[in-house]
Amino acid sequence: MPDETAASTPPGAGREQPSGHGHGHGHGPASPASRRVRLLLVGLLVPCALATLVGMVLLWPSGPLPTGTQPAQQVFDAEVVAAQAADCSPGSGDRGCAGLTLRMDGGPLPGRDLVQVVPVEPSTPRFAVGDRVRVAWSGGAATDPGSYQVVDFQRSGPLVALAVAFALAVLLLGRWRGLAALVALGMSLVVLVLFVLPAILAGSSPVWVAVVGACLIMFVVLYLTHGLSARTSTAVLGTLASLGLIALLSAVFSALARLTGLDDTTASLIATLGAPIDARGLLLAGIVIGALGVLDDVTVTQTSAVWELRAANPALGARALFAAGMRIGRDHVSSAVNTLVLAYAGASLPLMLLFTVSGRGPGDVLTSQDVATEIVRTLVGSIGLVASVPITTGLAALVAGREEPARPESARQESGRSLGRRARRAR
């Protein structure tokens, strides 16, 4: 039996698309929900939506946001037009640095050349002629090379090209649904930039901000991408329940494990702001938001699988739908958990390598602050992911079992042809 639904087609298309596989989220026409099912879903989701809106209003940042205690440097683009070995100190003869001649694109010296001496160390990047770089100006004398510093490469071109390639790939494969997914992605970024980040900087609890922001993203993304239907509403309920479980588990085990959340990045943030911030709350917020994307995949797929099972065999009741959906879910969750673990491991690869060569014992390494944080993040997210399968499948079985299943398009066409033949015979 297929565990996915067919990808939707643009209005006016004459036939259904074949079913996808594995992790697709497309689905065909939603079958009509009974009045009781609609009332049940509305009764469960409306309070959640209202609570999300109230939370957003209460947590919305007001007044000026805190800024860094250090004055911001002005950063400009430049191009490396020459590179050669140079002394780190004039006349030292060590030749341990690289002398870069930069053609400035902006700043106080547009179009002019500037010489910068960059140390050559294992931890510093290598620059070559033709590289586009970013140069920071401290605001000192415009002609003094000491007022400038090469801070990074200029990457806007490749990143824009990659973003365009990603959008084209989504549109070519997903068509109208792919366009909806891109719009939903943009809305997610808007919520993060305009609400989540400013609210945390304004001093609100990072955990509550993350929960409210994740719920808002979930409502917008799921309904915009998959349409307003009982099927989508069931996936929303499953995602809500799983997010609540993840938030609870992350709060409990971060407290039991005495995780402070004070990694290097958070410590730099506190130093930049010059004010205290809830570092553990920031850690929990990251866990909640990071788990949302994987939960979206699992809950929508499980819901779609149950609806397809119901459409394929309308005689299946809630118990049989749950059993069949769980058989699909076990395969899905095994791959999803592995994906989650490998994603966190990949992000922490330099840290893992550092501890590998440190000579410390496995027990000492695993219980250290940085590694323990990633372990809690991974295992809490995985538990929520595993729990989302029976939660969502059970909800979907209860709702789908009380819906009027839609007949496949082929059956409707065959019925129409049969009625036409009968009409001709009658004439």
Side-chain angles (χ1 to χ4, degrees), residues 222-299:
L222 291 184
Y223 281 118
L224 182 60
T225 306
H226 304 288
L228 187 64
S229 65
R231 182 188 316 203
T232 307
S233 298
T234 305
V236 170
L237 284 173
T239 307
L240 274 172
S242 304
L243 272 179
L245 177 62
I246 288 175
L248 177 63
L249 289 176
S250 59
V252 170
F253 282 95
S254 64
L256 291 176
R258 302 291 183 181
L259 298 180
T260 64
L262 290 171
D263 55 13
D264 292 339
T265 304
T266 306
S268 299
L269 172 63
I270 294 175
T272 300
L273 293 176
I277 193 171
D278 185 0
R280 181 183 291 176
L282 203 59
L283 167 65
L284 302 182
I287 294 176
V288 171
I289 294 177
L292 178 61
V294 187
L295 283 177
D296 173 285
D297 179 76
V298 173
T299 56

Side-chain angles (χ1 to χ4, degrees), residues 19-312:
S19 295
H21 115 329
H23 299 269
H25 294 157
H27 39 73
S31 50
S34 67
R35 178 177 177 82
R36 177 180 296 182
V37 169
R38 291 198 300 267
L39 290 176
L40 175 62
L41 292 174
V42 169
L44 291 173
L45 285 174
V46 167
C48 297
L50 290 177
T52 300
L53 292 177
V54 170
M56 187 175 65
V57 171
L58 294 177
L59 296 172
W60 192 268
S62 59
L65 297 177
T67 57
T69 56
Q70 300 176 351
Q73 291 182 321
Q74 300 182 54
V75 183
F76 306 99
D77 292 339
E79 180 182 357
V80 178
V81 295
Q84 60 278 327
D87 295 338
C88 296
S89 299
S92 64
D94 55 18
R95 314 297 288 175
C97 291
L100 305 179
T101 303
L102 308 177
R103 181 73 46 80
M104 301 293 292
D105 290 346
L109 301 175
R112 295 177 58 181
D113 290 347
L114 175 73
V115 177
Q116 285 284 285
V117 177
V118 179
V120 179
E121 299 174 351
S123 59
T124 58
R126 300 294 184 266
F127 298 96
V129 174
D131 285 344
R132 302 287 301 175
V133 296
R134 300 282 284 169
V135 179
W137 178 45
S138 64
T143 57
D144 181 11
S147 301
Y148 300 87
Q149 181 182 5
V150 179
V151 293
D152 206 349
F153 289 100
Q154 208 275 82
R155 304 183 178 92
S156 58
L159 293 180
V160 170
L162 181 59
V164 171
F166 164 73
L168 289 176
V170 172
L171 291 173
L172 288 174
L173 182 63
R175 299 182 181 179
W176 293 107
R177 192 169 299 282
L179 178 61
L182 291 176
V183 174
L185 175 60
M187 296 297 293
S188 299
L189 295 177
V190 167
V191 172
L192 289 174
V193 172
L194 296 185
F195 170 66
V196 174
L197 299 181
I200 292 176
L201 289 176
S204 298
S205 167
V207 178
W208 285 112
V209 171
V211 169
V212 172
C215 290
L216 183 61
I217 290 172
M218 177 196 61
F219 277 110
V220 172
V221 168
L222 291 184
Y223 281 118
L224 182 60
T225 306
H226 304 288
L228 187 64
S229 65
R231 182 188 316 203
T232 307
S233 298
T234 305
V236 170
L237 284 173
T239 307
L240 274 172
S242 304
L243 272 179
L245 177 62
I246 288 175
L248 177 63
L249 289 176
S250 59
V252 170
F253 282 95
S254 64
L256 291 176
R258 302 291 183 181
L259 298 180
T260 64
L262 290 171
D263 55 13
D264 292 339
T265 304
T266 306
S268 299
L269 172 63
I270 294 175
T272 300
L273 293 176
I277 193 171
D278 185 0
R280 181 183 291 176
L282 203 59
L283 167 65
L284 302 182
I287 294 176
V288 171
I289 294 177
L292 178 61
V294 187
L295 283 177
D296 173 285
D297 179 76
V298 173
T299 56
V300 171
T301 300
Q302 284 304 113
T303 305
S304 297
V306 170
W307 252 261
E308 285 298 298
L309 291 167
R310 170 71 170 169

Side-chain angles (χ1 to χ4, degrees), residues 3 23 302 325-337 389:
D3 64 345
H23 299 269
Q302 284 304 113
M326 283 301 296
R327 287 194 292 272
I328 297 171
R330 291 187 187 98
D331 291 336
H332 189 198
V333 78
S334 61
S335 61
V337 167
V389 172

